[in-house]
């Protein structure tokens, strides 16, 4: 009985597992079905190339507008404002091709068109316009046109216009008289010297000032006496202009009256201008005044004082300028002083060579 149990235990422990292992190792393997090759994709046919579109022919651009040509058309317009603007443009273009159209516009029935045409011809300095402008200065019924004719003649600078300008000094419109006087001065029309001296007694202070300035530009020796008298005019600006004119003329016969204006009681501008006019006459009587105003806060007074020092100064003046230059902090002020110093050094060298 015991033997049977041992045999049964032996079978259970050793024989059964062995049989099971043999059964596993001898079992047929299940083979996987062979993989089918993927069918080749049919080749994709390339699309036929689309022919490139032919470029559209470039649009022909309209030719650029010619502003002068347009203005030459517009100056014939029935619209007076359009004609005026056209005349203005032609003048601003400075193109002489527009001069004939402007000459025709001087006879336009609209005063503002005539005025613009006269202005434009002045800007073109169109000398052929001088006779017509001279006639307009005397005969045009519009004061604005007459004034513009006088102004335009100052650009053209035709001495033949002198008689018409002299006649215009008696125009009823002050603006025309002023413009005519200014043009005579710019042209240095010496034939008008007598008329200019006569204007020193005008009741219009602006005409007196204008006449004095014109006589100064003419450097009229004949006017020295009347100009010296004008330094006592009731209008301070007339007096100032007379002082300047006498300096330009350089007639020392007026020096005594100029020296009187250096007195402390006079205003700064008049004093320093008198000193400058004396310096132009090679007189250094105004140096003390120039030293006084060389530090002025008024730039115009200071500038003129430095001009006096440059024209009439000496070695002492140069030292004075050097001291001012060292102390000056403002770059613009230093520049003014340096310029004065250079001028004065040149003056001193010139005097030493004599």
């Amino acid at each position: 009985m015991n033997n049977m149990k041992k045999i049964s235990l032996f079978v259970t422990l050793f024989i059964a597992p062995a049989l099971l292992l043999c059964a596993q190792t001898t079992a047929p393997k299940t083979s996987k079905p062979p993989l089918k090759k993927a069918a080749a994709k049919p080749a994709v046919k390339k699309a036929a190339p689309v022919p490139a579109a032919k470029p559209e022919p470039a649009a022909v651009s309209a030719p650029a507008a010619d502003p002068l040509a347009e203005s030459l058309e517009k100056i014939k317009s029935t619209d007076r404002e359009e004609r005026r603007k056209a005349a203005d443009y032609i003048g601003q273009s400075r193109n002489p091709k527009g001069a004939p159209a402007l000459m025709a516009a001087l006879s336009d029935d609209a005063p503002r068109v005539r005025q613009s045409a006269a202005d434009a011809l002045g800007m073109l300095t169109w000398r052929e316009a001088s006779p017509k402008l001279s006639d307009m200065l005397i005969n045009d019924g519009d004061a604005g046109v007459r004034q513009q004719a006088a102004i335009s003649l100052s650009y053209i600078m035709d001495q033949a216009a002198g008689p018409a300008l002299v006649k215009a000094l008696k125009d009823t419109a002050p603006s025309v008289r002023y413009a005519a006087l200014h043009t005579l001065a710019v042209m240095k029309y010496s034939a008008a010297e007598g008329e200019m001296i006569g204007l020193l007694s005008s009741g219009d202070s602006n005409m007196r000032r204008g006449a004095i300035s014109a006589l100064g530009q003419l450097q009229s020796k004949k006017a020295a006496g009347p100009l010296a008298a004008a330094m006592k005019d009731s209008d301070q600006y007339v007096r100032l202009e007379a002082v300047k004119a006498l300096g330009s003329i350089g007639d020392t016969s007026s020096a005594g009256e100029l020296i009187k204006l250096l007195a402390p009681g006079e205003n700064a501008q008049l004093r320093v201008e008198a000193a400058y006019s004396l310096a132009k006459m090679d007189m250094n009587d105004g140096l003390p005044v120039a030293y006084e105003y060389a530090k002025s806060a008024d730039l115009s007074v200071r500038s003129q004082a430095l001009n006096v020092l440059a024209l009439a100064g000496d070695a002492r003046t140069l030292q004075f300028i050097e001291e001012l230059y060292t102390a000056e902090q403002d770059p613009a002020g230093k520049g003014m002083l340096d310029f004065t110093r250079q001028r004065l050094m040149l003056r001193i060298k010139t005097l030493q060579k004599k």
Side-chain angles (χ1 to χ4, degrees):
M1 187 71 180
N2 289 334
N3 289 334
M4 288 297 293
K5 289 181 178 180
K6 289 180 181 179
I7 291 169
S8 178
L9 180 62
F10 175 81
V11 170
T12 301
L13 293 175
F14 297 102
I15 300 300
L19 291 173
L20 180 63
L21 178 63
C22 289
Q24 287 178 346
T25 55
T26 58
K29 292 184 179 179
T30 304
S31 59
K32 294 182 179 180
L35 293 174
K36 293 182 179 180
K37 291 184 179 179
K41 293 182 180 180
V44 179
K45 292 183 179 180
K46 293 184 179 179
V50 178
K54 292 182 180 180
E56 292 289 334
V60 179
S61 57
D66 181 353
L68 178 62
E70 289 182 355
S71 295
L72 291 175
E73 284 300 316
K74 289 179 179 179
I75 204 169
K76 304 172 189 174
S77 168
T78 56
D79 184 335
R80 65 181 59 186
E81 183 61 16
E82 194 166 71
R83 298 197 303 273
R84 183 193 67 77
K85 289 180 179 179
D88 284 341
Y89 176 80
I90 295 170
Q92 292 164 8
S93 74
R94 302 296 198 276
N95 193 327
K97 291 181 180 178
L102 293 171
M103 289 293 293
L106 291 178
S107 301
D108 197 282
D109 59 356
R112 298 291 75 81
V113 176
R114 297 198 302 275
Q115 186 173 355
S116 290
D119 182 30
L121 286 162
M123 287 191 281
L124 292 175
T125 62
W126 195 250
R127 197 172 184 83
E128 289 83 348
S130 179
K132 178 64 175 175
L133 291 172
S134 298
D135 179 70
M136 293 172 71
L137 174 59
I138 303 304
N139 298 313
D140 197 282
D142 186 88
V145 175
R146 298 197 303 276
Q147 179 188 13
Q148 185 57 60
I151 293 170
S152 293
L153 286 168
S154 72
Y155 296 115
I156 295 172
M157 297 289 284
D158 180 15
Q159 292 286 313
L165 289 161
V166 171
K167 190 172 182 179
L169 293 176
K170 297 179 181 179
D171 195 280
T172 55
S175 61
V176 178
R177 297 197 298 268
Y178 302 150
L181 181 56
H182 172 74
T183 299
L184 287 166
V186 170
M187 289 170 51
K188 296 188 177 180
Y189 189 68
S190 58
E193 183 181 35
E195 284 79 4
M196 292 177 183
I197 292 174
L199 289 173
L200 296 180
S201 59
S202 169
D204 183 342
S205 62
N206 289 321
M207 282 302 288
R208 296 200 302 276
R209 287 174 59 195
I212 290 169
S213 176
L215 289 164
Q217 291 182 65
L218 288 178
Q219 296 185 325
S220 170
K221 299 288 185 183
K222 184 179 177 181
L227 288 174
M231 288 193 291
K232 299 175 182 177
D233 195 279
S234 58
D235 186 295
Q236 64 171 333
Y237 298 107
V238 172
R239 297 172 66 198
L240 184 62
E241 204 62 52
V243 170
K244 292 179 180 179
L246 286 166
S248 297
I249 294 168
D251 190 329
T252 56
S253 65
S254 60
E257 292 300 319
L258 288 169
I259 290 172
K260 290 178 182 178
L261 295 178
L262 300 174
E266 299 290 349
N267 72 64
Q269 186 124 30
L270 197 61
R271 293 178 72 201
V272 78
E273 285 295 345
Y276 187 51
S277 290
L278 288 165
K280 285 183 173 181
M281 299 175 188
D282 292 326
M283 301 177 69
N284 61 6
D285 297 72
L287 275 178
V289 171
Y291 284 128
E292 180 182 347
Y293 290 112
K295 302 177 184 178
S296 175
D298 185 323
L299 188 59
S300 64
V301 171
R302 184 185 186 192
S303 177
Q304 203 68 311
L306 292 177
N307 283 332
V308 174
L309 295 177
L311 280 179
D314 50 23
R316 173 178 170 270
T317 308
L318 182 58
Q319 182 181 351
F320 174 75
I321 294 296
E322 294 283 5
E323 291 171 357
L324 288 181
Y325 181 83
T326 302
E328 181 63 58
Q329 299 298 315
D330 178 54
K334 273 190 174 294
M336 290 173 62
L337 290 165
D338 183 54
F339 182 57
T340 304
R341 177 173 59 183
Q342 298 299 326
R343 293 168 64 197
L344 183 54
M345 288 171 65
L346 180 61
R347 166 182 159 76
I348 293 171
K349 286 180 181 179
T350 302
L351 291 174
Q352 289 173 345
K353 290 179 181 179
K354 290 183 178 180

